[in-house]
């Protein structure tokens, strides 16, 4: 009888705490889908195909407003441009995988799966990297689909005072804090955060504010590192 890889289970466990933020976010996505006229089946199909929280919500809103399909798809692509940076960063670890495995890895690529995997790869060279990544990514995918369906079934019955808007920021904070290990990473976080939340990128079109903030944050971190900010 085949055994489950211990590294795969480690990936599932690493993603576990993040599910507390993913679950309410998925509920919001499900509620938003049915409020825009999608059936439960359509909500599940949409969630399975797109599998991207922020862009998924943006697409649902645009579809509900009868926006042209090109605008809907273009908006999703722009919002997810950050995954290109994730992909470039994690690609060297997956260089020897088959095309099918790489396709699966690309489908499961999320902020959370990337963050927990990169953190593990950096401190443990013996990890079965693909198994660990799939464990994290697939468990996140499963919780997202289940909670999206739950939100779609509950529909607008979820009380607005529950305030699910807190979910996404908490997830990203949980990912961010463990990476702040030196002055360079701290400077990158601080500058990127200030740019993203300030007036600097307020007028940037096409939802490119996050991309601009990320680039500026990386440059700030590189600048501090070049000045000896690793301590």
């Amino acid at each position: 009888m085949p055994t489950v890889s211990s590294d795969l289970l480690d990936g599932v466990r690493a993603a576990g705490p993040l599910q507390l933020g993913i679950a309410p976010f998925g509920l919001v996505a499900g509620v938003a889908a049915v409020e825009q006229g999608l059936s439960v089946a359509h909500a599940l199909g949409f969630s399975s195909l797109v599998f991207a929280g922020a862009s998924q919500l943006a697409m649902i809103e645009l579809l509900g407003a009868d926006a042209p399909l090109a605008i809907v798809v273009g908006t999703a692509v722009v919002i997810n441009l950050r995954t290109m940076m994730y992909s470039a960063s994690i690609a060297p670890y997956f260089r020897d995988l088959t095309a099918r495995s790489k396709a699966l890895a690309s489908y499961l690529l999320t902020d959370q799966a990337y963050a927990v995997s990169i953190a593990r790869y950096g401190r443990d060279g013996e990890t079965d990297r693909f198994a660990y990544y799939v464990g994290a990514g697939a468990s996140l995918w499963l919780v997202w689909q289940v909670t999206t369906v739950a939100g779609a079934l509950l529909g607008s019955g979820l009380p607005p005072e529950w305030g699910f808007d807190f979910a996404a920021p908490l997830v990203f904070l949980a990912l961010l804090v463990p990476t702040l290990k030196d002055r360079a990473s701290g400077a990158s976080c601080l500058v990127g955060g200030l740019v993203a939340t300030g007036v600097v990128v307020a007028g940037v079109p096409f939802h490119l504010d996050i991309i601009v903030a990320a680039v500026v944050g990386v440059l700030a971190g590189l600048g501090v590192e070049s000045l000896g900010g690793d301590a």
Side-chain angles (χ1 to χ4, degrees), residues 4-19 116 120 132 135-137 139:
V4 178
S5 166
S6 60
D7 289 317
L8 186 145
L9 294 176
D10 284 347
V12 173
R13 283 190 286 267
L18 302 177
Q19 308 288 13
V116 297
R120 173 65 173 257
Y132 185 89
S139 62

Side-chain angles (χ1 to χ4, degrees), residues 172-192:
F172 285 104
L173 279 175
L175 294 173
L176 174 65
V177 172
T179 68
L180 302 179
K181 298 178 180 179
D182 50 41
R183 286 195 289 269
S185 60
S188 181
C189 168
L190 179 62
V191 173

